[in-house]
Amino acid sequence: MIEVVNLSKKFGDFTALDNINFNAREGEIITLLGPNGAGKSTLMRCLCGFYLPDGGSVKINGQNVQENLSEILKTLGYMPENTPLYPEMTVFEYMRFISGVYKMRPDEFKTSLEEMVKQLDLSSVLGQKIATLSKGYKRRVGVAAVMLHKPSFLILDEPTEGLDPNQKIALRNYLKGYAKHALVLISTHLLEEAEALSSRILLLNHGRLIEDTNVQKFKQKAPDESLAELFYNLTNDDEGKNGNQSV
Amino acid sequence: METSLYKRDLMSFFYSNSVYAVFGVYALLSMIMTFFWGMYFVDDNLAMMSFFIYQPQILAMIIPAITMRCWAEEKKSGTIENLLTFPITSWNLVFSKFLAMFTIAVMMLLFSVPLLLTTTIYVPLDWGNILSAYIGLVSVIGALTAVGCLFSALVSIPAVAYLSGLLVGVLWVNLKWGYWVTRWWKNMPFYFDGVLNFDDNYQNFCNGQFNPAGIIYFVSVAVLLLFFNWLVVASWRTK
């Protein structure tokens, strides 16, 4: 379970996250939604301990992230935006490296790799250097790498960016299945993604959490508008005046 | 140590073509210094010493080329975000990367084996001296590798990491630190003069004296710089 209490993060005078509060548990797929610069990536980085919050706390399974970082990171899989990978390695070498980092047994690695290769359709590129892969394949390799050790908490920053429609649907289906025994948190600015994938939406704007709801309730806020129009009306404000609407 | 990270960093150097350039330049410089600057063809007793005596100068130029990418490239490509969210402590990250770079740098010494074997055919060698010189050289490599790793962590551009590592390495190897410290600290006991100098510590190894103080000197420098490197990496985790 993740508990986020009064989380704030500043960069100089700029407030990237402002008093964020929410809880989430295994079995949920949560989409962080918001325009560019809303604070989605910053929130994800605070959740996985990459950023130190300026205020508030993040607890995972009751443990403060910053105080028990090494232990918590064993149960967590985080894929940053743009999926940074080592281009000189082959996909298989990279997967083996990841299995070593998480101290997976050879049989665990073999089983998990076979599953990833099947689910994410990586068999044709397993022996290929990462530098030579297309953007879509790199994204899938990134997803496979963070899921290889079967984390209980999966944090993916724009995982379907660069994937073709077939790949998007395949990944969404896999994540839906995976979320039965894990918490999946993804960020996106694609509304169709939130609608297709998530059980819950967290809408961020100007570093504030302005909606914490499910897709159906979100749509009911303005039944006559499309999701895009609703998103526009909620986030396209002056100085984030909607900021405290319904936290 | 994190074995998987050590192996990855070690192999990543051999994946790129730069390995041939770095090893080639090292071998070339070593041979030029040994045969043309040194006393290799002049004095039988100093034949192998001609190789060892110039090694710190050469290594101060070559080792930053090995270490420059170890942190700077991770920051430049964004993979540092992956590294810092792996369940690996900051110290293990620092030590694993250092050890990988150190291993590569020590591998370069294999180029001296043909020279050693050829020389032993014509000149009776004092193997005690040779062993002592190699121990000194490995200690120097450790310290210079720590210098390079630290500068790679401090900057984000590998070329800048190389130049800053080169500058500090060359200054450290060539300056008489003891002299400068005694000018600043007038009452410093005179024996510190030699203790602080790179050259004095290394020369003892080349003269065939097994020199525990020299090992302590170079290992202390390496440990101190690795500690600074750890501080830099730990600071990334608290930003």
Side-chain angles (χ1 to χ4, degrees):
Chain A
M1 182 174 177
I2 290 182
E3 296 166 84
V4 177
V5 182
N6 299 329
L7 184 69
S8 299
K9 179 70 187 171
K10 287 185 174 186
F11 296 102
D13 292 335
F14 175 70
T15 304
L17 292 177
D18 188 5
N19 209 30
I20 304 284
N21 290 280
F22 72 90
N23 290 336
R25 60 180 64 249
E26 285 93 329
E28 284 187 290
I29 301 185
I30 298 177
T31 303
L32 284 179
L33 206 57
N36 290 334
K40 303 186 293 291
S41 296
T42 306
L43 176 55
M44 290 186 147
R45 285 170 173 167
C46 286
L47 294 182
C48 65
F50 185 69
Y51 280 161
L52 184 70
D54 291 314
S57 66
V58 177
K59 285 184 180 174
I60 293 185
N61 284 342
Q63 292 184 307
N64 190 300
V65 169
Q66 288 300 331
E67 289 166 10
N68 303 283
L69 193 58
S70 287
E71 279 307 304
I72 283 170
L73 288 176
K74 287 177 189 167
T75 64
L76 197 140
Y78 167 61
M79 186 182 81
E81 199 179 354
N82 302 324
T83 328
L85 301 166
Y86 295 112
E88 71 277 9
M89 299 176 96
T90 66
V91 174
F92 179 77
E93 285 166 347
Y94 186 66
M95 292 299 163
R96 199 172 47 191
F97 162 63
I98 296 293
S99 78
V101 166
Y102 288 98
K103 310 277 182 268
M104 293 172 74
R105 293 194 314 269
D107 58 319
E108 279 177 335
F109 168 58
K110 189 171 175 281
T111 312
S112 189
L113 181 67
E114 279 170 1
E115 186 186 334
M116 293 299 144
V117 166
K118 188 180 162 202
Q119 295 290 342
L120 298 165
D121 191 20
L122 294 171
S123 57
S124 60
V125 297
L126 210 52
Q128 207 171 314
K129 286 214 188 283
I130 290 170
T132 64
L133 299 179
S134 67
K135 192 177 173 187
Y137 268 119
K138 281 181 186 164
R139 190 70 59 157
R140 281 186 274 166
V141 170
V143 172
V146 296
M147 295 178 78
L148 193 70
H149 68 289
K150 305 283 181 220
S152 307
F153 303 95
L154 191 58
I155 300 175
L156 306 172
D157 204 343
E158 301 187 4
T160 58
E161 187 83 11
L163 300 186
D164 67 37
N166 292 341
Q167 293 165 355
K168 276 184 189 177
I169 290 167
L171 179 58
R172 282 173 193 159
N173 289 337
Y174 183 47
L175 288 176
K176 277 180 187 173
Y178 189 81
K180 285 174 185 159
H181 50 83
L183 168 62
V184 179
L185 189 80
I186 68 158
S187 80
T188 183
H189 48 257
L190 300 174
L191 297 164
E192 53 154 269
E193 185 91 335
E195 195 172 11
L197 190 60
S198 63
S199 51
R200 188 171 157 197
I201 287 174
L202 300 180
L203 181 60
L204 288 169
N205 194 29
H206 299 294
R208 294 178 193 169
L209 186 59
I210 60 174
E211 285 291 340
D212 180 353
T213 184
N214 62 41
V215 179
Q216 284 69 35
K217 283 184 184 168
F218 187 60
K219 278 174 151 177
Q220 283 166 10
K221 287 182 85 74
D224 298 333
E225 292 177 348
S226 68
L227 267 180
E229 284 170 327
L230 181 59
F231 178 83
Y232 179 84
N233 291 334
L234 284 169
T235 59
N236 191 32
D237 56 348
D238 295 324
E239 300 299 319
K241 65 186 176 191
N242 288 336
N244 296 320
Q245 261 188 356
S246 57
V247 176
Chain B
M1 185 189 64
E2 183 58 44
T3 318
S4 50
L5 184 62
Y6 168 78
K7 281 185 198 164
R8 199 217 77 79
D9 274 31
L10 190 66
M11 292 316 294
S12 76
F13 189 74
F14 291 98
Y15 285 134
S16 70
N17 292 332
S18 60
V19 62
Y20 302 109
V22 172
F23 281 16
V25 170
Y26 167 76
L28 189 68
L29 283 175
S30 294
M31 294 307 110
I32 289 172
M33 297 305 258
T34 305
F35 296 135
F36 299 106
W37 260 262
M39 308 278 280
Y40 189 81
F41 295 113
V42 179
D43 188 336
D44 283 356
N45 294 325
L46 296 176
M48 273 313 285
M49 288 309 116
S50 305
F51 167 78
F52 288 112
I53 211 80
Y54 294 108
Q55 282 298 300
Q57 318 288 338
I58 298 166
L59 291 170
M61 287 188 277
I62 297 295
I63 287 178
I66 295 171
T67 57
M68 65 181 181
R69 295 174 75 235
C70 74
W71 291 107
E73 190 66 28
E74 303 269 11
K75 287 190 280 177
K76 196 177 151 199
S77 66
T79 47
I80 192 72
E81 203 166 337
N82 291 344
L83 270 189
L84 295 179
T85 50
F86 286 150
I88 307 175
T89 61
S90 301
W91 173 250
N92 263 340
L93 287 175
V94 169
F95 190 63
S96 305
K97 279 187 170 284
F98 163 78
L99 214 57
M101 301 299 117
F102 176 71
T103 306
I104 295 164
V106 169
M107 276 180 194
M108 290 196 303
L109 295 183
L110 292 175
F111 284 102
S112 66
V113 173
L115 176 73
L116 190 64
L117 295 176
T118 315
T119 308
T120 196
I121 295 170
Y122 299 106
V123 180
L125 294 176
D126 181 337
W127 290 100
N129 277 12
I130 299 292
L131 181 66
S132 159
Y134 270 115
I135 290 170
L137 207 47
V138 169
S139 308
V140 168
I141 286 174
L144 285 171
T145 304
V147 173
C149 288
L150 174 62
F151 280 96
S152 183
L154 287 171
V155 300
S156 299
I157 303 168
V160 179
Y162 173 76
L163 290 174
S164 38
L166 171 75
L167 181 71
V168 172
V170 167
L171 282 177
W172 179 45
V173 167
N174 289 294
L175 279 188
K176 293 279 183 191
W177 293 101
Y179 168 75
W180 292 104
V181 174
T182 45
R183 282 194 64 174
W184 169 70
W185 183 15
K186 302 284 186 199
N187 298 325
M188 189 183 79
F190 72 94
Y191 52 83
F192 269 122
D193 187 354
V195 166
L196 291 175
N197 288 339
F198 179 98
D199 214 29
D200 291 324
N201 282 290
Y202 181 65
Q203 284 295 336
N204 287 336
F205 287 108
C206 291
N207 295 336
Q209 298 168 18
F210 180 71
N211 180 18
I215 293 177
I216 291 169
Y217 171 75
F218 290 117
V219 170
S220 304
V221 170
V223 169
L224 184 68
L225 293 171
L226 286 176
F227 172 70
F228 289 139
N229 198 338
W230 172 78
L231 286 180
V232 174
V233 173
S235 76
W236 296 335
R237 278 190 152 144
T238 54
K239 66 178 181 236

